[in-house]
Amino acid sequence: MTDAQNTAADASLRTTGGTPPDDAGSSETGAPTPLLEPREGIPPVIADEAALAETIAAFAAGSGPVAVDAERASGYRYGQRAYLVQLRREGAGSALIDPVACPDLSGLGEALSGVEWVLHAATQDLPCLREIGMVPTVLFDTELAGRLAGFPRVGLGAMVESVLGFVLEKGHSAVDWSTRPLPEPWLRYAALDVELLVDLRDALEKELDRQGKLEWARQEFDAIASAPPAEPRKDPWRRTSGMHKVRRRRQLAVVRELWQTRDRIAQRRDVSPGKVLSDAAIVEAALSLPANVHALAALNGFGHRVGRRQLEQWQAAVDRARALPESQLPQPGQPVAGPPPPRAWADKDPAAAARLSAARAGVSALAEQLNMPQENLVSPDTVRRICWEPPSADVKAVEIALAGYGARAWQVEQVTPVLVSALSGQGA
């Protein structure tokens, strides 16, 4: 066994070690302590270039890692832009920056280049931070660290409570952060989100080191920091909720036309697409193929609240789809790159199905032994691809295949023996 395998089974994994710099978080009864106010109070919102310049100077002069968070207005506004950026660093305190008033934060990003950024669920915030010029070169993801360390609950509130002994108030996580001015309770919540993030990072680093997983975590963090921006989704309209009901190509064309019309309107209005027209209404129209506005108005989602002009624009989208020649209708499914769905393997290739079953069992057992989620040990898609088109069942070939699919060095080391066993027919 590796050090990680030995220590993962240790009951002391469920640590409550690590304390914030001032007062210990847990009371004598062991109950977590509510964290009600930032240490220096709620900082003023930075909303002009002069204040931003002062903040950049202060954070450049600070020391140690910098805690970073961003608030979006998902469900309210179009896209995933940041409406508030929170930071905290030793020697600089906390800062709340309005990226609407200060849309270019590249100066801040440059001042913090080379500094370790501490984020929770980094991949959620990095796209909106990149849009305003903030791109980390080094990072520590406390959510991912919690997963690798085997914590059963890895939300920020749960991690702060179980590791540091403090309770964060999470009542404003889903509010409309595009609201101006932002209410004081929301600003307090936002400041508290970065209050203990560096303390959490320090405690998790110690725990990962104790388990022999710190180098693994560093490889994961480096992969996130160096990853290029995600490519735009092909045919995003196919992700409309309820699409599984839509079978015919003409109906698919209706979904596409309505989705694209809705997206243009939502972008122009800067509102969430779901506030313009629901996915359920789009699917309903696609299944019914209404011939006119009256038929459309009778469908769920197009009732009395939808004005005549709006109904006409939706019906025009349906009519465009109805008028398309067969050659321009979308195909029923997206072109599949890679193996077919696993449920079809037994019929298409029984040997591949047997390899996949053995590989899954082996990966599951190893993930349990290492006390981490299977998907963090190795991507399920990678396992499927290797089992569908297997390399030769030797260590070097499997290592090369894993690395080719983007597995990190630690994952290659851990998973290769399991996959070699599965490909050679010796797996469970």
Side-chain angles (χ1 to χ4, degrees):
M1 278 192 179
T2 66
D3 289 343
Q5 289 170 327
N6 283 319
T7 59
D10 190 339
S12 64
L13 166 68
R14 305 295 182 221
T15 178
T16 54
T19 57
D22 296 332
D23 301 314
S26 299
S27 68
E28 292 181 3
T29 62
T33 302
L35 192 65
L36 303 177
E37 290 288 338
R39 272 170 272 192
E40 299 93 17
I42 303 172
V45 177
I46 308 302
D48 61 66
E49 292 303 318
L52 178 60
E54 291 180 7
T55 299
I56 292 174
F59 274 80
S63 61
V66 58
V68 182
D69 192 19
E71 304 295 346
R72 300 177 298 278
S74 304
Y76 297 94
R77 296 289 183 174
Y78 185 85
Q80 293 295 315
R81 69 173 294 184
Y83 284 94
L84 189 69
V85 175
Q86 307 102 281
L87 305 99
R88 183 173 181 84
R89 191 180 189 195
E90 184 70 28
S94 295
L96 303 178
I97 303 176
D98 180 357
V100 178
C102 301
D104 181 7
L105 298 186
S106 57
L108 178 60
E110 291 167 6
L112 296 173
S113 179
V115 175
E116 182 185 83
W117 296 22
V118 184
L119 301 102
H120 192 82
T123 54
Q124 294 183 20
D125 286 339
L126 288 179
C128 71
L129 290 171
R130 181 178 279 111
E131 286 182 1
I132 53 179
M134 294 186 65
V135 183
T137 54
V138 186
L139 65 82
F140 189 106
D141 185 334
T142 50
E143 185 201 47
L144 181 51
R147 290 179 182 277
L148 295 176
F151 285 86
R153 297 165 59 226
V154 293
L156 179 59
M159 292 293 291
V160 167
E161 182 174 340
S162 63
V163 176
L164 302 178
F166 283 85
V167 177
L168 290 177
E169 193 274 312
K170 299 297 289 182
H172 304 300
S173 59
V175 299
D176 180 3
W177 287 96
S178 68
T179 301
R180 293 296 184 273
L182 286 165
E184 183 176 295
W186 299 11
L187 296 175
R188 179 182 297 107
Y189 157 88
L192 288 174
D193 262 5
V194 292
E195 181 80 7
L196 297 178
L197 206 49
V198 172
D199 301 287
L200 179 61
R201 171 240 180 270
D202 291 344
L204 289 172
E205 182 180 59
K206 291 177 182 177
E207 179 60 23
L208 287 167
D209 190 38
R210 187 187 73 82
Q211 293 188 29
K213 297 176 181 176
L214 183 56
E215 176 55 31
W216 301 0
R218 286 173 175 156
Q219 291 179 29
E220 292 298 306
F221 303 155
D222 288 346
I224 295 173
S226 61
E231 294 287 333
R233 273 189 201 281
K234 185 179 180 182
D235 294 343
W237 59 270
R238 291 185 183 271
R239 294 177 63 82
T240 302
S241 180
M243 277 291 289
H244 62 281
K245 302 175 187 176
V246 183
R247 306 298 177 108
R248 291 158 47 195
R249 294 177 65 198
R250 186 72 59 185
Q251 294 172 333
L252 289 170
V254 172
V255 173
R256 181 175 64 186
E257 288 292 334
L258 285 171
W259 190 97
Q260 291 175 345
T261 300
R262 178 183 72 173
D263 196 64
R264 287 192 296 270
I265 294 169
Q267 188 170 15
R268 186 176 71 245
R269 295 182 186 172
D270 190 19
V271 297
S272 170
K275 291 187 174 297
V276 176
L277 186 69
S278 70
D279 281 9
I282 290 177
V283 170
E284 184 84 7
L287 296 176
S288 301
L289 291 172
N292 52 50
V293 168
H294 298 293
L296 181 67
L299 301 178
N300 289 333
F302 297 94
H304 64 279
R305 293 185 180 180
V306 180
R308 175 77 185 193
R309 187 175 176 183
Q310 289 177 300
L311 283 172
E312 288 174 351
Q313 73 183 358
W314 301 129
Q315 185 60 45
V318 173
D319 292 343
R320 288 194 297 273
R322 290 169 62 95
L324 286 173
E326 287 285 328
S327 61
Q328 295 182 25
L329 295 178
Q331 294 300 320
Q334 293 174 290
V336 176
R343 63 180 178 274
W345 285 30
D347 292 331
K348 291 179 179 290
D349 190 337
R355 289 193 294 268
L356 182 61
S357 177
R360 282 175 162 174
V363 168
S364 176
L366 179 58
E368 186 173 352
Q369 195 175 40
L370 295 173
N371 203 11
M372 69 172 64
Q374 294 181 43
E375 63 270 20
N376 292 115
L377 175 59
V378 63
S379 160
D381 181 66
T382 294
V383 174
R384 286 192 294 268
R385 289 173 183 270
I386 288 178
C387 290
W388 183 252
E389 295 182 348
S392 59
D394 66 77
V395 169
K396 191 63 179 175
V398 172
E399 286 178 344
I400 292 171
L402 282 168
Y405 289 124
R408 267 69 71 191
W410 76 269
Q411 294 175 314
V412 173
E413 179 184 3
Q414 293 294 319
V415 175
T416 292
V418 172
L419 294 185
V420 168
S421 177
L423 297 181
S424 62
Q426 299 173 5

